[in-house]
Amino acid sequence: MMPHPLGLYLHIPFCRQRCDFCSFYLEIHREGRAEAFVRSLVHEIGLSAQQHGAANRPIQSVYLGGGTPTVLASTQLIAILSEIRTHFTLASDCEITVEAHPSINSEQDLVQLCQAGVTRMSFGAESMEDGDLTRIGRSGAVSETITAVTQARAAGFANINLDLMYGLPGQNLESWQRTLTHCLALAPTHLSAYALTVEQDTKLASNIQRQRSPAPDEGLQIEMDEAAQRMLGDAGYERYEVSNYAQPGYACRHNLLYWTNGEYLGLGPSAQSYLGGTRFGNVADLTDYNTSLAASRLPIEDRTRLTEIEQLRDAVIFGLRLIQGIPTRHLHQHAENYGHATVTAQLLAQQLIEVDGERSRLSSRGRLQADTIAGQLY
Ligand code: SF4
């Protein structure tokens, strides 16, 4: 029997500066720390291929996220990719994504990444209005996003994603629609549109608490979400997941793995994995991560073995977010397992979940309340 495909996620824990809303595990980039991290990561790649018995499993996607992977030199990124090819078996059509800040890379860097086999660039545009970027403490300018997309295309990338956020301080429906229009003019193959959420212990949370910044307006965010669905749908993008839109054939294979309860290995500090029914995570501290790998120990901090009932719960909650949905019998089985029959019946009666024969999914109204519904079904 063919082994199941696997995805690899690599967390690069550095950025040039921290955006006001960001709660990801990262440090401000420093050359020496980055060099030590790359040495550890290279070691972790070999150790995990061996210890997880993953060396011969086809890798269908590799995703370098963070943080900002492209704060590393292209030579460092290429060395990481080369180490992956040494220890894992990449499928011939493996999707390899690198997340990038639009202001960081030169065209030469992009050419080198393309030649090294990266198939997909994902730029964190966030907004196409400079004022929005300033208000969320995001470095860079809109003109740099335009340049980055143009240069990536010239370097040979056909598959380009732009990440956007809506509900930003000072943003209104009209400015969000302008952002969408400007993004569409760049014709990316994929667009992610995330509602701004306020995470604890971020500068944004503190600004809101001190009334220096307005809290996101949920009603406005729903209007913005509806506008995105309408404008991107009219432009030929399919909304294939709550926050993700793609031109036909360009859905992100790596992210689909998460939502279809597929298996993935996460490498780098704080990265999460799901393998053989067990979720486990790496230590979220770069010094501890380096120490562990210097002793040739995988830096895994916690493990949770999921029962079959919990695995079905996760498959239902993630899978409902997808347009392809889940088998309807799984929805009812999960409702029975967790005593959610009444809640499920209400969600169906309110047409927040729609049943189309043997498949069930969130309706377009349901997608606007995806997190609340997930909480009800958990
Ligand atoms: S660039 Fe991305 S990862 Fe880095 S601080 Fe900003 S949001 Fe967080």
Side-chain angles (χ1 to χ4, degrees):
M1 204 171 68
M2 278 287 288
H4 287 300
L6 188 67
L8 282 185
Y9 172 78
L10 292 96
H11 186 80
I12 312 295
F14 300 107
C15 285
R16 292 256 170 95
Q17 67 177 62
R18 186 181 280 278
C19 305
D20 291 355
F21 56 85
C22 182
S23 63
F24 292 141
Y25 174 71
L26 57 91
E27 293 187 359
I28 301 308
H29 177 256
R30 279 184 292 134
E31 211 62 66
R33 287 291 271 177
E35 281 167 13
F37 162 71
V38 172
R39 278 196 297 277
S40 298
L41 182 62
V42 159
H43 197 169
E44 188 188 12
I45 290 169
L47 275 183
S48 57
Q50 200 185 35
Q51 294 189 13
H52 294 304
N56 295 319
R57 290 186 59 176
I59 302 295
Q60 62 142 38
S61 59
V62 177
Y63 195 103
L64 277 78
T68 306
T70 53
V71 294
L72 296 184
S74 303
T75 46
Q76 290 174 310
L77 293 173
I78 290 166
I80 292 166
L81 287 173
S82 155
E83 198 67 16
I84 290 172
R85 288 183 201 281
T86 302
H87 294 280
F88 289 93
T89 309
L90 267 56
S92 57
D93 61 346
C94 183
E95 174 190 88
I96 304 180
T97 302
V98 172
E99 282 185 347
H101 189 296
S103 69
I104 289 183
N105 303 101
S106 68
E107 188 162 349
Q108 184 56 26
D109 292 326
L110 292 163
V111 168
Q112 287 175 356
L113 291 178
C114 192
Q115 286 172 350
V118 175
T119 62
R120 185 171 182 273
M121 287 301 300
S122 175
F123 293 107
E126 314 311 348
S127 170
M128 298 300 278
E129 305 256 318
D130 282 332
D132 287 346
L133 299 178
T134 306
R135 284 188 292 273
I136 54 172
R138 176 108 183 150
S139 64
V142 170
S143 59
E144 289 167 323
T145 297
I146 298 169
T147 304
V149 171
T150 310
Q151 290 185 336
R153 226 169 248 138
F157 287 102
N159 195 357
I160 296 171
N161 170 58
L162 293 178
D163 276 349
L164 296 175
M165 296 182 82
Y166 58 90
L168 303 176
Q171 194 180 40
N172 57 36
L173 188 56
E174 290 69 37
S175 64
W176 168 237
Q177 288 171 323
R178 280 199 301 275
T179 278
L180 290 169
T181 302
H182 289 140
C183 273
L184 286 172
L186 295 174
T189 45
H190 190 285
L191 272 162
S192 300
Y194 300 104
L196 175 69
T197 52
V198 183
E199 304 292 340
Q200 273 183 356
D201 301 325
T202 57
K203 189 165 176 206
L204 178 65
S206 138
N207 285 346
I208 291 172
Q209 202 186 10
R210 294 176 194 187
Q211 301 188 328
R212 290 187 184 153
S213 191
D217 172 338
E218 224 178 277
L220 178 59
Q221 282 185 321
I222 289 177
E223 284 181 53
M224 291 173 160
D225 193 14
E226 287 169 340
Q229 180 160 287
R230 191 178 57 251
M231 289 174 68
L232 300 180
D234 288 350
Y237 291 77
E238 184 188 39
R239 184 177 199 173
Y240 69 97
E241 193 270 346
V242 169
S243 308
N244 286 280
Y245 299 80
Q247 289 183 8
Y250 286 98
C252 175
R253 204 182 295 176
H254 187 78
N255 285 340
L256 277 172
L257 203 59
Y258 297 144
W259 301 315
T260 53
N261 230 18
E263 294 189 307
Y264 50 90
L265 262 181
L267 310 180
S270 80
Q272 303 297 307
S273 303
Y274 180 53
L275 199 61
T278 299
R279 294 198 186 282
F280 51 96
N282 277 355
V283 60
D285 182 287
L286 182 53
T287 302
D288 291 350
Y289 171 82
N290 288 337
T291 305
S292 180
L293 284 157
S296 291
R297 263 187 290 106
L298 284 177
I300 296 171
E301 192 178 46
D302 59 78
R303 284 178 197 272
T304 310
R305 173 100 198 141
L306 300 187
T307 62
E308 278 186 23
I309 285 178
E310 288 166 334
Q311 289 180 41
L312 179 68
R313 172 200 64 201
D314 291 359
V316 165
I317 289 174
F318 292 133
L320 278 173
R321 297 172 67 94
L322 295 168
I323 295 295
Q324 68 190 49
I326 54 166
T328 301
R329 65 178 194 289
H330 288 179
L331 178 67
H332 292 301
Q333 182 62 56
H334 168 64
E336 195 181 317
N337 292 343
Y338 277 76
H340 283 333
T342 310
V343 170
T344 304
Q346 279 167 356
L347 293 169
L348 289 166
Q350 291 163 2
Q351 297 179 338
L352 294 171
I353 295 178
E354 62 188 20
V355 176
D356 160 18
E358 294 185 351
R359 308 289 296 180
S360 297
R361 64 187 66 77
L362 295 179
S363 64
S364 49
R365 241 170 10 93
R367 285 195 286 278
L368 301 173
Q369 300 171 41
D371 291 341
T372 311
I373 295 171
Q376 288 175 292
L377 291 176
Y378 195 78

